[in-house]
PDB file of all heavy atoms in Angstrom:
ATOM      1  N   TYR O   1      31.551 -12.601  28.989  1.00 66.00           N
ATOM      2  CA  TYR O   1      30.326 -11.777  28.655  1.00 66.00           C
ATOM      3  C   TYR O   1      29.037 -12.398  28.979  1.00 66.00           C
ATOM      4  O   TYR O   1      27.939 -11.871  28.876  1.00 66.00           O
ATOM      5  CB  TYR O   1      30.393 -11.321  27.267  1.00 66.00           C
ATOM      6  CG  TYR O   1      31.498 -10.287  27.025  1.00 66.00           C
ATOM      7  CD1 TYR O   1      32.690 -10.589  26.482  1.00 66.00           C
ATOM      8  CD2 TYR O   1      31.299  -8.929  27.464  1.00 66.00           C
ATOM      9  CE1 TYR O   1      33.662  -9.612  26.361  1.00 66.00           C
ATOM     10  CE2 TYR O   1      32.292  -7.993  27.346  1.00 66.00           C
ATOM     11  CZ  TYR O   1      33.443  -8.347  26.824  1.00 66.00           C
ATOM     12  OH  TYR O   1      34.503  -7.376  26.680  1.00 66.00           O
ATOM     13  N   MET O   2      29.131 -13.773  29.406  1.00 63.00           N
ATOM     14  CA  MET O   2      27.839 -14.500  29.753  1.00 63.00           C
ATOM     15  C   MET O   2      27.610 -14.286  31.303  1.00 63.00           C
ATOM     16  O   MET O   2      26.642 -14.827  31.775  1.00 63.00           O
ATOM     17  CB  MET O   2      27.888 -15.952  29.404  1.00 63.00           C
ATOM     18  CG  MET O   2      27.829 -16.140  27.849  1.00 63.00           C
ATOM     19  SD  MET O   2      26.308 -15.536  27.114  1.00 63.00           S
ATOM     20  CE  MET O   2      25.180 -16.654  27.612  1.00 63.00           C
ATOM     21  N   GLN O   3      28.556 -13.651  31.986  1.00 61.00           N
ATOM     22  CA  GLN O   3      28.392 -13.429  33.434  1.00 61.00           C
ATOM     23  C   GLN O   3      27.301 -12.411  33.667  1.00 61.00           C
ATOM     24  O   GLN O   3      27.037 -11.546  32.881  1.00 61.00           O
ATOM     25  CB  GLN O   3      29.659 -12.942  34.054  1.00 61.00           C
ATOM     26  CG  GLN O   3      30.893 -13.914  34.055  1.00 61.00           C
ATOM     27  CD  GLN O   3      32.024 -13.294  34.819  1.00 61.00           C
ATOM     28  OE1 GLN O   3      32.111 -13.337  35.945  1.00 61.00           O
ATOM     29  NE2 GLN O   3      32.886 -12.717  34.032  1.00 61.00           N
ATOM     30  N   PRO O   4      26.580 -12.519  34.864  1.00 56.00           N
ATOM     31  CA  PRO O   4      25.637 -11.517  35.193  1.00 56.00           C
ATOM     32  C   PRO O   4      26.394 -10.158  35.355  1.00 56.00           C
ATOM     33  O   PRO O   4      27.524 -10.122  35.745  1.00 56.00           O
ATOM     34  CB  PRO O   4      25.063 -11.952  36.591  1.00 56.00           C
ATOM     35  CG  PRO O   4      25.418 -13.427  36.631  1.00 56.00           C
ATOM     36  CD  PRO O   4      26.595 -13.624  35.794  1.00 56.00           C
ATOM     37  N   LYS O   5      25.684  -9.083  35.054  1.00 54.00           N
ATOM     38  CA  LYS O   5      26.271  -7.694  35.166  1.00 54.00           C
ATOM     39  C   LYS O   5      26.924  -7.403  36.512  1.00 54.00           C
ATOM     40  O   LYS O   5      27.989  -6.807  36.652  1.00 54.00           O
ATOM     41  CB  LYS O   5      25.220  -6.634  34.818  1.00 54.00           C
ATOM     42  CG  LYS O   5      25.762  -5.256  34.806  1.00 54.00           C
ATOM     43  CD  LYS O   5      24.636  -4.194  34.392  1.00 54.00           C
ATOM     44  CE  LYS O   5      25.177  -2.814  34.532  1.00 54.00           C
ATOM     45  NZ  LYS O   5      24.158  -1.779  34.366  1.00 54.00           N
ATOM     46  N   SER O   6      26.301  -7.898  37.561  1.00 52.00           N
ATOM     47  CA  SER O   6      26.723  -7.571  38.831  1.00 52.00           C
ATOM     48  C   SER O   6      28.098  -8.181  39.183  1.00 52.00           C
ATOM     49  O   SER O   6      28.764  -7.762  40.198  1.00 52.00           O
ATOM     50  CB  SER O   6      25.672  -8.091  39.929  1.00 52.00           C
ATOM     51  OG  SER O   6      25.521  -9.437  39.839  1.00 52.00           O
ATOM     52  N   SER O   7      28.512  -9.244  38.440  1.00 50.00           N
ATOM     53  CA  SER O   7      29.718  -9.914  38.817  1.00 50.00           C
ATOM     54  C   SER O   7      30.913  -9.353  37.998  1.00 50.00           C
ATOM     55  O   SER O   7      31.996  -9.779  38.192  1.00 50.00           O
ATOM     56  CB  SER O   7      29.577 -11.443  38.578  1.00 50.00           C
ATOM     57  OG  SER O   7      29.377 -11.680  37.179  1.00 50.00           O
ATOM     58  N   HIS O   8      30.709  -8.388  37.091  1.00 52.00           N
ATOM     59  CA  HIS O   8      31.750  -7.834  36.302  1.00 52.00           C
ATOM     60  C   HIS O   8      32.707  -6.975  37.200  1.00 52.00           C
ATOM     61  O   HIS O   8      32.323  -6.444  38.169  1.00 52.00           O
ATOM     62  CB  HIS O   8      31.218  -6.931  35.175  1.00 52.00           C
ATOM     63  CG  HIS O   8      30.766  -7.812  33.935  1.00 52.00           C
ATOM     64  ND1 HIS O   8      31.748  -8.365  33.156  1.00 52.00           N
ATOM     65  CD2 HIS O   8      29.571  -7.981  33.484  1.00 52.00           C
ATOM     66  CE1 HIS O   8      31.024  -8.997  32.195  1.00 52.00           C
ATOM     67  NE2 HIS O   8      29.799  -8.687  32.380  1.00 52.00           N
ATOM     68  N   CYS O   9      33.962  -7.033  36.775  1.00 49.00           N
ATOM     69  CA  CYS O   9      35.026  -6.243  37.440  1.00 49.00           C
ATOM     70  C   CYS O   9      35.407  -6.835  38.808  1.00 49.00           C
ATOM     71  O   CYS O   9      35.908  -6.138  39.688  1.00 49.00           O
ATOM     72  CB  CYS O   9      34.685  -4.765  37.612  1.00 49.00           C
ATOM     73  SG  CYS O   9      34.578  -3.924  35.935  1.00 49.00           S
ATOM     74  N   THR O  10      35.042  -8.089  39.063  1.00 63.00           N
ATOM     75  CA  THR O  10      35.481  -8.746  40.231  1.00 63.00           C
ATOM     76  C   THR O  10      36.824  -9.420  39.860  1.00 63.00           C
ATOM     77  O   THR O  10      37.335  -9.262  38.819  1.00 63.00           O
ATOM     78  CB  THR O  10      34.480  -9.957  40.556  1.00 63.00           C
ATOM     79  OG1 THR O  10      34.395 -10.829  39.453  1.00 63.00           O
ATOM     80  CG2 THR O  10      33.094  -9.359  40.830  1.00 63.00           C
ATOM     81  N   ASP O  11      37.464 -10.146  40.908  1.00 69.00           N
ATOM     82  CA  ASP O  11      38.724 -10.818  40.695  1.00 69.00           C
ATOM     83  C   ASP O  11      38.628 -11.800  39.540  1.00 69.00           C
ATOM     84  O   ASP O  11      39.560 -11.991  38.742  1.00 69.00           O
ATOM     85  CB  ASP O  11      39.150 -11.539  41.929  1.00 69.00           C
ATOM     86  CG  ASP O  11      39.565 -10.398  43.021  1.00 69.00           C
ATOM     87  OD1 ASP O  11      39.918  -9.286  42.641  1.00 69.00           O
ATOM     88  OD2 ASP O  11      39.564 -10.766  44.257  1.00 69.00           O
ATOM     89  N   THR O  12      37.472 -12.529  39.479  1.00 74.00           N
ATOM     90  CA  THR O  12      37.320 -13.499  38.425  1.00 74.00           C
ATOM     91  C   THR O  12      37.405 -12.858  37.021  1.00 74.00           C
ATOM     92  O   THR O  12      37.912 -13.378  36.113  1.00 74.00           O
ATOM     93  CB  THR O  12      35.944 -14.286  38.571  1.00 74.00           C
ATOM     94  OG1 THR O  12      35.945 -14.868  39.852  1.00 74.00           O
ATOM     95  CG2 THR O  12      35.805 -15.356  37.493  1.00 74.00           C
ATOM     96  N   ASP O  13      36.660 -11.716  36.995  1.00 75.00           N
ATOM     97  CA  ASP O  13      36.586 -10.961  35.730  1.00 75.00           C
ATOM     98  C   ASP O  13      38.037 -10.447  35.344  1.00 75.00           C
ATOM     99  O   ASP O  13      38.365 -10.503  34.118  1.00 75.00           O
ATOM    100  CB  ASP O  13      35.717  -9.686  35.940  1.00 75.00           C
ATOM    101  CG  ASP O  13      35.396  -9.015  34.609  1.00 75.00           C
ATOM    102  OD1 ASP O  13      35.179  -9.639  33.651  1.00 75.00           O
ATOM    103  OD2 ASP O  13      35.474  -7.777  34.601  1.00 75.00           O
ATOM    104  N   LYS O  14      38.806 -10.037  36.266  1.00 80.00           N
ATOM    105  CA  LYS O  14      40.245  -9.568  36.058  1.00 80.00           C
ATOM    106  C   LYS O  14      41.125 -10.817  35.511  1.00 80.00           C
ATOM    107  O   LYS O  14      41.863 -10.621  34.656  1.00 80.00           O
ATOM    108  CB  LYS O  14      40.879  -8.973  37.252  1.00 80.00           C
ATOM    109  CG  LYS O  14      40.260  -7.607  37.666  1.00 80.00           C
ATOM    110  CD  LYS O  14      40.950  -7.048  38.874  1.00 80.00           C
ATOM    111  CE  LYS O  14      40.370  -5.720  39.273  1.00 80.00           C
ATOM    112  NZ  LYS O  14      41.071  -5.132  40.501  1.00 80.00           N
ATOM    113  N   VAL O  15      40.923 -11.962  36.167  1.00 82.00           N
ATOM    114  CA  VAL O  15      41.674 -13.085  35.670  1.00 82.00           C
ATOM    115  C   VAL O  15      41.351 -13.522  34.283  1.00 82.00           C
ATOM    116  O   VAL O  15      42.226 -13.708  33.469  1.00 82.00           O
ATOM    117  CB  VAL O  15      41.405 -14.311  36.654  1.00 82.00           C
ATOM    118  CG1 VAL O  15      42.031 -15.572  36.062  1.00 82.00           C
ATOM    119  CG2 VAL O  15      41.999 -13.975  38.049  1.00 82.00           C
ATOM    120  N   ALA O  16      40.072 -13.513  33.941  1.00 82.00           N
ATOM    121  CA  ALA O  16      39.669 -13.722  32.569  1.00 82.00           C
ATOM    122  C   ALA O  16      40.127 -12.667  31.627  1.00 82.00           C
ATOM    123  O   ALA O  16      40.651 -13.009  30.458  1.00 82.00           O
ATOM    124  CB  ALA O  16      38.097 -13.823  32.463  1.00 82.00           C
ATOM    125  N   SER O  17      40.179 -11.408  32.042  1.00 85.00           N
ATOM    126  CA  SER O  17      40.693 -10.313  31.189  1.00 85.00           C
ATOM    127  C   SER O  17      42.171 -10.490  30.939  1.00 85.00           C
ATOM    128  O   SER O  17      42.647 -10.261  29.885  1.00 85.00           O
ATOM    129  CB  SER O  17      40.361  -8.959  31.762  1.00 85.00           C
ATOM    130  OG  SER O  17      39.058  -8.688  32.006  1.00 85.00           O
ATOM    131  N   ILE O  18      42.973 -10.855  32.017  1.00 88.00           N
ATOM    132  CA  ILE O  18      44.367 -11.074  31.849  1.00 88.00           C
ATOM    133  C   ILE O  18      44.572 -12.205  30.875  1.00 88.00           C
ATOM    134  O   ILE O  18      45.512 -12.111  29.993  1.00 88.00           O
ATOM    135  CB  ILE O  18      44.949 -11.498  33.286  1.00 88.00           C
ATOM    136  CG1 ILE O  18      44.974 -10.287  34.167  1.00 88.00           C
ATOM    137  CG2 ILE O  18      46.379 -12.020  33.045  1.00 88.00           C
ATOM    138  CD1 ILE O  18      45.309 -10.685  35.660  1.00 88.00           C
ATOM    139  N   PHE O  19      43.750 -13.196  30.951  1.00 88.00           N
ATOM    140  CA  PHE O  19      43.958 -14.330  30.051  1.00 88.00           C
ATOM    141  C   PHE O  19      43.781 -13.973  28.565  1.00 88.00           C
ATOM    142  O   PHE O  19      44.582 -14.280  27.700  1.00 88.00           O
ATOM    143  CB  PHE O  19      42.948 -15.431  30.436  1.00 88.00           C
ATOM    144  CG  PHE O  19      43.328 -16.857  29.801  1.00 88.00           C
ATOM    145  CD1 PHE O  19      44.314 -17.562  30.295  1.00 88.00           C
ATOM    146  CD2 PHE O  19      42.579 -17.324  28.709  1.00 88.00           C
ATOM    147  CE1 PHE O  19      44.722 -18.835  29.776  1.00 88.00           C
ATOM    148  CE2 PHE O  19      42.947 -18.488  28.122  1.00 88.00           C
ATOM    149  CZ  PHE O  19      44.080 -19.268  28.658  1.00 88.00           C
ATOM    150  N   TYR O  20      42.737 -13.224  28.225  1.00 84.00           N
ATOM    151  CA  TYR O  20      42.478 -12.893  26.851  1.00 84.00           C
ATOM    152  C   TYR O  20      43.254 -11.650  26.347  1.00 84.00           C
ATOM    153  O   TYR O  20      43.436 -11.545  25.163  1.00 84.00           O
ATOM    154  CB  TYR O  20      40.994 -12.916  26.512  1.00 84.00           C
ATOM    155  CG  TYR O  20      40.258 -11.616  26.750  1.00 84.00           C
ATOM    156  CD1 TYR O  20      40.336 -10.607  25.832  1.00 84.00           C
ATOM    157  CD2 TYR O  20      39.449 -11.492  27.861  1.00 84.00           C
ATOM    158  CE1 TYR O  20      39.554  -9.431  26.056  1.00 84.00           C
ATOM    159  CE2 TYR O  20      38.673 -10.386  28.108  1.00 84.00           C
ATOM    160  CZ  TYR O  20      38.801  -9.291  27.177  1.00 84.00           C
ATOM    161  OH  TYR O  20      37.989  -8.137  27.358  1.00 84.00           O
ATOM    162  N   THR O  21      43.665 -10.821  27.238  1.00 90.00           N
ATOM    163  CA  THR O  21      44.490  -9.655  26.771  1.00 90.00           C
ATOM    164  C   THR O  21      45.953  -9.865  26.776  1.00 90.00           C
ATOM    165  O   THR O  21      46.654  -9.221  26.032  1.00 90.00           O
ATOM    166  CB  THR O  21      44.164  -8.399  27.707  1.00 90.00           C
ATOM    167  OG1 THR O  21      44.526  -8.681  29.116  1.00 90.00           O
ATOM    168  CG2 THR O  21      42.740  -8.002  27.611  1.00 90.00           C
ATOM    169  N   LEU O  22      46.489 -10.800  27.638  1.00 91.00           N
ATOM    170  CA  LEU O  22      47.886 -11.009  27.621  1.00 91.00           C
ATOM    171  C   LEU O  22      48.343 -12.437  27.434  1.00 91.00           C
ATOM    172  O   LEU O  22      49.357 -12.626  26.666  1.00 91.00           O
ATOM    173  CB  LEU O  22      48.452 -10.578  29.073  1.00 91.00           C
ATOM    174  CG  LEU O  22      48.176  -9.062  29.424  1.00 91.00           C
ATOM    175  CD1 LEU O  22      48.509  -8.890  30.929  1.00 91.00           C
ATOM    176  CD2 LEU O  22      49.144  -8.205  28.589  1.00 91.00           C
ATOM    177  N   VAL O  23      47.591 -13.376  27.934  1.00 91.00           N
ATOM    178  CA  VAL O  23      48.073 -14.758  27.836  1.00 91.00           C
ATOM    179  C   VAL O  23      47.823 -15.406  26.389  1.00 91.00           C
ATOM    180  O   VAL O  23      48.624 -15.997  25.764  1.00 91.00           O
ATOM    181  CB  VAL O  23      47.365 -15.666  28.914  1.00 91.00           C
ATOM    182  CG1 VAL O  23      47.826 -17.096  28.685  1.00 91.00           C
ATOM    183  CG2 VAL O  23      47.793 -15.240  30.274  1.00 91.00           C
ATOM    184  N   ILE O  24      46.565 -15.117  25.849  1.00 91.00           N
ATOM    185  CA  ILE O  24      46.178 -15.662  24.542  1.00 91.00           C
ATOM    186  C   ILE O  24      47.120 -15.067  23.430  1.00 91.00           C
ATOM    187  O   ILE O  24      47.560 -15.784  22.651  1.00 91.00           O
ATOM    188  CB  ILE O  24      44.739 -15.382  24.191  1.00 91.00           C
ATOM    189  CG1 ILE O  24      43.829 -16.299  25.097  1.00 91.00           C
ATOM    190  CG2 ILE O  24      44.380 -15.666  22.763  1.00 91.00           C
ATOM    191  CD1 ILE O  24      42.367 -16.081  24.949  1.00 91.00           C
ATOM    192  N   PRO O  25      47.401 -13.801  23.398  1.00 93.00           N
ATOM    193  CA  PRO O  25      48.365 -13.191  22.453  1.00 93.00           C
ATOM    194  C   PRO O  25      49.790 -13.872  22.537  1.00 93.00           C
ATOM    195  O   PRO O  25      50.474 -13.958  21.515  1.00 93.00           O
ATOM    196  CB  PRO O  25      48.442 -11.718  22.734  1.00 93.00           C
ATOM    197  CG  PRO O  25      47.110 -11.429  23.367  1.00 93.00           C
ATOM    198  CD  PRO O  25      46.771 -12.599  24.213  1.00 93.00           C
ATOM    199  N   MET O  26      50.079 -14.359  23.754  1.00 93.00           N
ATOM    200  CA  MET O  26      51.408 -15.028  23.957  1.00 93.00           C
ATOM    201  C   MET O  26      51.260 -16.403  23.345  1.00 93.00           C
ATOM    202  O   MET O  26      52.201 -16.945  22.740  1.00 93.00           O
ATOM    203  CB  MET O  26      51.809 -15.059  25.341  1.00 93.00           C
ATOM    204  CG  MET O  26      53.037 -15.856  25.621  1.00 93.00           C
ATOM    205  SD  MET O  26      53.379 -16.164  27.389  1.00 93.00           S
ATOM    206  CE  MET O  26      52.091 -17.384  27.758  1.00 93.00           C
ATOM    207  N   LEU O  27      50.176 -17.115  23.658  1.00 90.00           N
ATOM    208  CA  LEU O  27      50.018 -18.519  23.202  1.00 90.00           C
ATOM    209  C   LEU O  27      49.813 -18.647  21.728  1.00 90.00           C
ATOM    210  O   LEU O  27      50.270 -19.682  21.181  1.00 90.00           O
ATOM    211  CB  LEU O  27      48.763 -19.092  23.936  1.00 90.00           C
ATOM    212  CG  LEU O  27      48.876 -19.249  25.469  1.00 90.00           C
ATOM    213  CD1 LEU O  27      47.514 -19.826  25.926  1.00 90.00           C
ATOM    214  CD2 LEU O  27      49.995 -20.233  25.839  1.00 90.00           C
ATOM    215  N   ASN O  28      49.139 -17.754  21.041  1.00 88.00           N
ATOM    216  CA  ASN O  28      48.844 -17.983  19.637  1.00 88.00           C
ATOM    217  C   ASN O  28      50.067 -18.256  18.782  1.00 88.00           C
ATOM    218  O   ASN O  28      50.066 -19.285  17.991  1.00 88.00           O
ATOM    219  CB  ASN O  28      48.008 -16.772  19.107  1.00 88.00           C
ATOM    220  CG  ASN O  28      46.561 -16.789  19.555  1.00 88.00           C
ATOM    221  OD1 ASN O  28      46.127 -17.787  20.166  1.00 88.00           O
ATOM    222  ND2 ASN O  28      45.867 -15.763  19.280  1.00 88.00           N
ATOM    223  N   PRO O  29      51.096 -17.438  18.819  1.00 88.00           N
ATOM    224  CA  PRO O  29      52.281 -17.782  18.032  1.00 88.00           C
ATOM    225  C   PRO O  29      52.975 -19.097  18.434  1.00 88.00           C
ATOM    226  O   PRO O  29      53.541 -19.774  17.623  1.00 88.00           O
ATOM    227  CB  PRO O  29      53.228 -16.558  18.090  1.00 88.00           C
ATOM    228  CG  PRO O  29      52.716 -15.885  19.432  1.00 88.00           C
ATOM    229  CD  PRO O  29      51.305 -16.087  19.518  1.00 88.00           C
ATOM    230  N   LEU O  30      52.932 -19.390  19.720  1.00 87.00           N
ATOM    231  CA  LEU O  30      53.548 -20.589  20.203  1.00 87.00           C
ATOM    232  C   LEU O  30      52.772 -21.778  19.676  1.00 87.00           C
ATOM    233  O   LEU O  30      53.334 -22.772  19.213  1.00 87.00           O
ATOM    234  CB  LEU O  30      53.554 -20.672  21.754  1.00 87.00           C
ATOM    235  CG  LEU O  30      54.430 -19.548  22.471  1.00 87.00           C
ATOM    236  CD1 LEU O  30      54.259 -19.723  23.914  1.00 87.00           C
ATOM    237  CD2 LEU O  30      55.895 -19.843  22.001  1.00 87.00           C
ATOM    238  N   ILE O  31      51.379 -21.739  19.661  1.00 85.00           N
ATOM    239  CA  ILE O  31      50.576 -22.822  19.152  1.00 85.00           C
ATOM    240  C   ILE O  31      50.857 -23.099  17.696  1.00 85.00           C
ATOM    241  O   ILE O  31      51.022 -24.140  17.256  1.00 85.00           O
ATOM    242  CB  ILE O  31      49.114 -22.536  19.440  1.00 85.00           C
ATOM    243  CG1 ILE O  31      48.760 -22.513  20.927  1.00 85.00           C
ATOM    244  CG2 ILE O  31      48.204 -23.511  18.649  1.00 85.00           C
ATOM    245  CD1 ILE O  31      47.323 -22.011  21.220  1.00 85.00           C
ATOM    246  N   TYR O  32      50.953 -21.983  16.926  1.00 81.00           N
ATOM    247  CA  TYR O  32      51.138 -22.087  15.494  1.00 81.00           C
ATOM    248  C   TYR O  32      52.624 -22.530  15.154  1.00 81.00           C
ATOM    249  O   TYR O  32      52.810 -23.277  14.179  1.00 81.00           O
ATOM    250  CB  TYR O  32      50.817 -20.816  14.746  1.00 81.00           C
ATOM    251  CG  TYR O  32      49.349 -20.718  14.429  1.00 81.00           C
ATOM    252  CD1 TYR O  32      48.479 -19.860  15.187  1.00 81.00           C
ATOM    253  CD2 TYR O  32      48.824 -21.365  13.392  1.00 81.00           C
ATOM    254  CE1 TYR O  32      47.128 -19.773  14.952  1.00 81.00           C
ATOM    255  CE2 TYR O  32      47.494 -21.274  13.080  1.00 81.00           C
ATOM    256  CZ  TYR O  32      46.590 -20.495  13.884  1.00 81.00           C
ATOM    257  OH  TYR O  32      45.216 -20.439  13.548  1.00 81.00           O
ATOM    258  N   SER O  33      53.498 -22.157  15.931  1.00 76.00           N
ATOM    259  CA  SER O  33      54.934 -22.546  15.681  1.00 76.00           C
ATOM    260  C   SER O  33      55.222 -23.956  16.137  1.00 76.00           C
ATOM    261  O   SER O  33      55.949 -24.743  15.523  1.00 76.00           O
ATOM    262  CB  SER O  33      55.886 -21.555  16.370  1.00 76.00           C
ATOM    263  OG  SER O  33      55.762 -21.621  17.684  1.00 76.00           O
ATOM    264  N   LEU O  34      54.540 -24.378  17.223  1.00 69.00           N
ATOM    265  CA  LEU O  34      54.807 -25.724  17.760  1.00 69.00           C
ATOM    266  C   LEU O  34      54.035 -26.849  16.981  1.00 69.00           C
ATOM    267  O   LEU O  34      54.420 -27.994  16.885  1.00 69.00           O
ATOM    268  CB  LEU O  34      54.524 -25.813  19.179  1.00 69.00           C
ATOM    269  CG  LEU O  34      55.485 -24.964  20.152  1.00 69.00           C
ATOM    270  CD1 LEU O  34      54.859 -25.011  21.551  1.00 69.00           C
ATOM    271  CD2 LEU O  34      56.853 -25.435  20.102  1.00 69.00           C
ATOM    272  N   ARG O  35      52.772 -26.528  16.549  1.00 69.00           N
ATOM    273  CA  ARG O  35      51.919 -27.508  15.872  1.00 69.00           C
ATOM    274  C   ARG O  35      51.992 -27.496  14.438  1.00 69.00           C
ATOM    275  O   ARG O  35      51.363 -28.300  13.779  1.00 69.00           O
ATOM    276  CB  ARG O  35      50.436 -27.259  16.384  1.00 69.00           C
ATOM    277  CG  ARG O  35      50.191 -27.528  17.878  1.00 69.00           C
ATOM    278  CD  ARG O  35      48.735 -27.277  18.227  1.00 69.00           C
ATOM    279  NE  ARG O  35      47.868 -28.129  17.384  1.00 69.00           N
ATOM    280  CZ  ARG O  35      47.477 -29.296  17.689  1.00 69.00           C
ATOM    281  NH1 ARG O  35      47.881 -29.860  18.799  1.00 69.00           N
ATOM    282  NH2 ARG O  35      46.654 -30.047  16.882  1.00 69.00           N
ATOM    283  N   ASN O  36      52.641 -26.512  13.775  1.00 75.00           N
ATOM    284  CA  ASN O  36      52.540 -26.323  12.378  1.00 75.00           C
ATOM    285  C   ASN O  36      53.917 -26.662  11.732  1.00 75.00           C
ATOM    286  O   ASN O  36      54.907 -25.897  11.997  1.00 75.00           O
ATOM    287  CB  ASN O  36      52.132 -24.933  11.965  1.00 75.00           C
ATOM    288  CG  ASN O  36      51.842 -24.722  10.491  1.00 75.00           C
ATOM    289  OD1 ASN O  36      52.733 -24.795   9.713  1.00 75.00           O
ATOM    290  ND2 ASN O  36      50.627 -24.412  10.262  1.00 75.00           N
ATOM    291  N   LYS O  37      53.934 -27.668  10.902  1.00 77.00           N
ATOM    292  CA  LYS O  37      55.346 -28.030  10.280  1.00 77.00           C
ATOM    293  C   LYS O  37      55.882 -26.989   9.396  1.00 77.00           C
ATOM    294  O   LYS O  37      57.024 -26.723   9.346  1.00 77.00           O
ATOM    295  CB  LYS O  37      55.176 -29.313   9.483  1.00 77.00           C
ATOM    296  CG  LYS O  37      54.953 -30.565  10.487  1.00 77.00           C
ATOM    297  CD  LYS O  37      54.851 -31.811   9.578  1.00 77.00           C
ATOM    298  CE  LYS O  37      54.688 -33.037  10.492  1.00 77.00           C
ATOM    299  NZ  LYS O  37      54.595 -34.300   9.807  1.00 77.00           N
ATOM    300  N   ASP O  38      54.948 -26.282   8.628  1.00 78.00           N
ATOM    301  CA  ASP O  38      55.458 -25.284   7.622  1.00 78.00           C
ATOM    302  C   ASP O  38      56.115 -24.148   8.446  1.00 78.00           C
ATOM    303  O   ASP O  38      57.149 -23.695   7.921  1.00 78.00           O
ATOM    304  CB  ASP O  38      54.278 -24.720   6.879  1.00 78.00           C
ATOM    305  CG  ASP O  38      53.736 -25.670   5.891  1.00 78.00           C
ATOM    306  OD1 ASP O  38      54.404 -26.648   5.535  1.00 78.00           O
ATOM    307  OD2 ASP O  38      52.553 -25.626   5.524  1.00 78.00           O
TER     308      ASP O  38
END
C-alpha cells in the first residue's frame, strides 16, 4: 500500500498479494508450531 497508485495490479503487486493472501496464512501455524514449545 505504499506503492504509487500507477504501479498497482502489476506483476509485483500480484506477487505481494499471493504472499499475504496465501503464503502468510500457511506460514503462521507453521511458525507457531515450530517455535512454540507449548
Side-chain angles (χ1 to χ4, degrees):
Y1 290 101
M2 291 302 286
Q3 294 182 83
K5 184 181 174 181
S6 59
S7 66
H8 277 292
C9 295
T10 60
D11 289 339
T12 304
D13 190 42
K14 287 182 183 179
V15 170
S17 296
I18 289 167
F19 195 75
Y20 83 83
T21 58
L22 296 170
V23 178
I24 288 177
M26 176 192 71
L27 291 177
N28 285 353
L30 295 177
I31 291 169
Y32 275 100
S33 60
L34 294 174
R35 291 180 59 89
N36 189 295
K37 289 182 179 180
D38 291 336

